[in-house]
């Protein structure tokens, strides 16, 4: 499938027709905006907007309406802006309204069944499925060591999903002599062609040894077994070359614009 058609399918299934991604969350379409609202520890924000490319004032009004919505709920939120969204100056308008851009990522997609299988692990490393609180703590530990950020919200979100709807999420941790050294998760979107690969963090000292590729392969196999044709990644600069070599296509870029209450 051509990248343009694949991007359109991604926009339709994962953005315009998005479903809530956790307990207590709801997805609403308000005018030309699709947004999710949930608990404070959930992901809150704008998933898609179909704003008129020639109507700047209309875009400004839509931005103001989302700010008012989340402020009334006492929630910080993220407007997930994609490079092909309109109007072309939407990023500038978000910035002027008080939202701050975070790091841009590259949206990449591959056919799950076409990705390499059985990528070898370093000697002494095993993969373990995350199914309980202990496993979630290990995922959080890896993310905090790998990325240097507080990942407690991720832990709460993952626990919520595993308890309420385990069929829509899977996570895996790589253990070396019992120590968690790499971890990743996958969001499974029922009724769509896609599964989303997230995380993929490896602690310093274990990088460059194939763990990231092994975790991609592991999750892609599960996605294919569960009937999802494609796996999708919002890739950081460090991941993009690895994914390209594995066969991922670039669809677009995305930048989160964050509003703090």
């Amino acid at each position: 499938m051509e990248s343009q058609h694949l991007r359109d399918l991604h926009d339709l299934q994962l953005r315009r027709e998005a479903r809530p991604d956790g307990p207590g969350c709801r997805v609403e379409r308000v005018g030309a905006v699709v947004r999710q609202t949930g608990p404070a520890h959930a992901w809150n924000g704008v998933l898609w907007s179909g704003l008129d490319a020639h109507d700047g004032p209309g875009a400004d009004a839509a931005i103001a309406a989302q700010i008012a919505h989340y402020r009334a709920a006492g929630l910080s939120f993220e407007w997930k802006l994609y490079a092909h969204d309109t109007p072309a100056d939407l990023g500038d308008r978000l910035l002027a309204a008080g939202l701050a851009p975070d790091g841009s990522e590259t949206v990449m997609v591959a056919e799950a069944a076409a990705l390499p299988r059985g990528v070898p692990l370093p000697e002494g490393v095993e993969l373990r499925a995350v199914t309980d609180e202990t496993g979630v703590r290990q995922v959080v530990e890896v993310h905090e060591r790998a990325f240097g950020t507080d990942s407690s919200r991720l832990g709460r979100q993952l626990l919520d999903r595993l308890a309420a709807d385990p069929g829509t999420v899977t996570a895996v941790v790589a253990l070396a002599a019992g120590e968690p050294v790499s971890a990743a998760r996958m969001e499974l979107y029922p009724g769509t062609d896609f599964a989303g690969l997230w995380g993929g963090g490896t602690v310093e000292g274990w990088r460059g040894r194939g763990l990231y590729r092994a975790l991609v392969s592991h999750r892609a196999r599960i996605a294919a077994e569960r009937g999802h044709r494609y796996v999708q990644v919002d890739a950081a600069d460090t991941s993009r070359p690895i994914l390209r070599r594995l066969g991922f296509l670039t669809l677009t870029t995305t930048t989160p614009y964050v509003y703090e209450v």
Side-chain angles (χ1 to χ4, degrees):
M1 182 177 288
E2 295 180 5
S3 59
Q4 175 66 51
H5 295 299
L6 200 49
R7 191 185 78 183
D8 291 344
L9 186 65
H10 171 274
D11 279 357
L12 175 65
Q13 294 188 352
L14 300 190
R15 302 181 65 203
R16 296 173 64 181
E17 297 179 351
R19 301 180 184 186
D21 70 358
C25 297
R26 67 182 188 276
V27 171
E28 305 166 298
R29 178 161 185 162
V30 183
V33 170
V34 175
R35 68 189 182 206
Q36 174 168 288
T37 309
H41 67 273
W43 185 87
N44 288 282
V46 173
L47 295 151
W48 177 82
S49 62
L51 304 176
D52 192 321
H54 307 291
D55 184 9
D60 291 337
I63 295 168
Q66 305 320 307
I67 292 173
H69 167 75
Y70 288 105
R71 282 180 62 87
L75 296 169
S76 299
F77 77 99
E78 176 182 306
W79 189 302
K80 200 162 170 59
L81 177 68
Y82 290 74
H84 56 284
D85 290 345
T86 57
D89 64 350
L90 183 53
D92 293 336
R93 295 179 181 278
L94 291 168
L95 186 63
L99 287 85
D102 205 344
S104 295
E105 295 175 312
T106 303
V107 181
M108 305 182 77
V109 171
E111 289 208 32
L115 290 172
R117 291 287 184 269
V119 174
L121 292 164
E123 186 176 354
V125 174
E126 62 170 335
L127 299 185
R128 184 173 297 171
V130 173
T131 58
D132 56 19
E133 191 170 348
T134 297
V136 171
R137 281 199 303 267
Q138 291 175 327
V139 171
V140 170
E141 177 187 336
V142 168
H143 278 69
E144 292 186 339
R145 291 173 61 193
F147 302 122
T149 56
D150 181 356
S151 297
S152 56
R153 286 182 62 187
L154 166 62
R156 290 190 65 187
Q157 292 169 6
L158 189 50
L159 281 172
D160 283 353
R161 293 284 290 278
L162 288 171
D165 203 358
T168 65
V169 65
T170 184
V172 61
V173 63
L175 301 172
E179 176 193 358
V181 295
S182 188
R185 68 190 191 281
M186 178 168 63
E187 306 279 343
L188 299 155
Y189 309 117
T192 78
D193 294 297
F194 294 91
L197 307 186
W198 301 94
T202 301
V203 304
E204 194 171 355
W206 284 91
R207 295 169 186 164
R209 301 174 66 176
L211 284 172
Y212 182 83
R213 287 185 294 110
L215 292 179
V216 169
S217 173
H218 176 81
R219 289 174 290 167
R221 176 183 57 80
I222 295 172
E225 289 173 352
R226 298 194 186 181
H228 297 278
R229 182 175 180 183
Y230 302 108
V231 286
Q232 169 260 322
V233 184
D234 288 357
D237 290 344
T238 52
S239 305
R240 191 170 60 247
I242 303 170
L243 294 168
R244 187 179 296 117
R245 289 194 295 270
L246 288 172
F248 280 74
L249 296 174
T250 295
L251 300 188
T252 184
T253 60
T254 181
T255 304
Y257 280 74
V258 180
Y259 189 94
E260 300 285 355
V261 295

